[in-house]
Amino acid sequence: MRVQVVDHPLVAHKVSVLRDKNTPSPVFRQLTDELVTLLAYEATREVRTTQIEVQTPVATTTGTAFAKPTPLVVPILRAGLGMLEGMTRLVPTAEVGFLGMARNDTTLDIVTYAERLPDDLTGRQVFVLDPMLATGGTLVESIKFLFERGASDVTCICLIAAPEGLDRLEEIYGDDSRVHLVLGALDEKLDENAYIVPGLGDAGDRLYGLAH
C-alpha cells in the first residue's frame, strides 16, 4: 500500500478553513469540492492512458486519452457525495458508482446498507471518496468489496486521517501494491468516541447540516 499526504500550501490552507467550527455549510461544501480536485490531481497520476491521433488547426499530432475501461469513482455515502463533483470535474469521463457504508456508533462495526456498482469490475481502476479515515473500518470493507468485484486497483482519497485508521489499512493491505491512499492531512489521534483529533467534526453533518 502506498500512502501520500499531499504537501501543498493550497491544500493546507483549505484543510485549515474546513477545521474551523465557524465555517458554515455552504463554505464547507465549496472548500471540500476545491480540496478534492487538488487531491485528485495527485491521485490520478497513474491513471491508465492510451495514445490517440489529434488533428490540430495546423498539423496532426499524438495526444493522450483515458484507456478503456474508464476509471470508476465511488463515493461512500453520505459524506463522500460532497467530494464527488470535485473529482468528476477533473475526470469527467469517469463512471460513478455508490457504496453506502456506515459505522455503528456503539459497536463500531461497518454496515453496508446500499450499493450501486457494476457486477463486474475486472480491469477497472477505482477511486474511492471518503472524507474521514478514522478507525479504517469503512475503507477496509470498501476496498475488500471492490476487489471481490474484480477491481484492478483502488485509490482512496480522504481529506484527513487518523494514525489508527492508517495502521488498520497497513495491517490489512500493507503489502498490497494495488492500494493507494491520498490524504489532505494526517492528524494526531482518535478520541474515546473514535472521532479524529483535531479533526473537523462530522463531515456529513457539516456538509449537509443534518443529523445522522
Side-chain angles (χ1 to χ4, degrees), residues 97-200:
F98 299 94
L99 266 179
M101 291 190 169
R103 185 182 70 190
N104 184 300
D105 289 335
T106 301
T107 66
L108 303 184
D109 291 335
I110 303 302
V111 179
T112 301
Y113 62 86
E115 69 95 355
R116 184 67 173 174
L117 294 167
D119 291 333
D120 185 5
L121 295 177
T122 301
R124 300 294 290 267
Q125 289 183 296
V126 181
F127 294 87
V128 174
L129 308 178
D130 197 4
M132 318 285 281
L133 171 55
T135 65
T138 299
L139 279 188
V140 165
E141 292 301 316
S142 300
I143 294 167
K144 177 183 176 183
F145 191 100
L146 293 165
F147 280 149
E148 287 176 348
R149 290 282 178 95
S152 63
D153 56 80
V154 177
T155 298
C156 304
I157 303 175
C158 303
L159 304 184
I160 62 172
E164 292 89 340
L166 190 57
D167 289 344
R168 176 76 183 281
L169 261 71
E170 287 279 6
E171 178 184 347
I172 307 298
Y173 296 110
D175 296 327
D176 196 333
S177 62
R178 301 173 299 166
V179 179
H180 184 199
L181 183 62
V182 178
L183 308 174
L186 180 59
D187 277 15
E188 178 185 344
K189 63 179 182 179
L190 293 179
D191 67 12
E192 63 277 7
N193 297 312
Y195 278 88
I196 300 174
V197 178
L200 47 77

Side-chain angles (χ1 to χ4, degrees), residues 16 88 95 137 163 173 189 206 212:
S16 297
T88 55
E95 293 184 0
Y173 296 110
K189 63 179 182 179
R206 296 198 64 189
H212 290 306

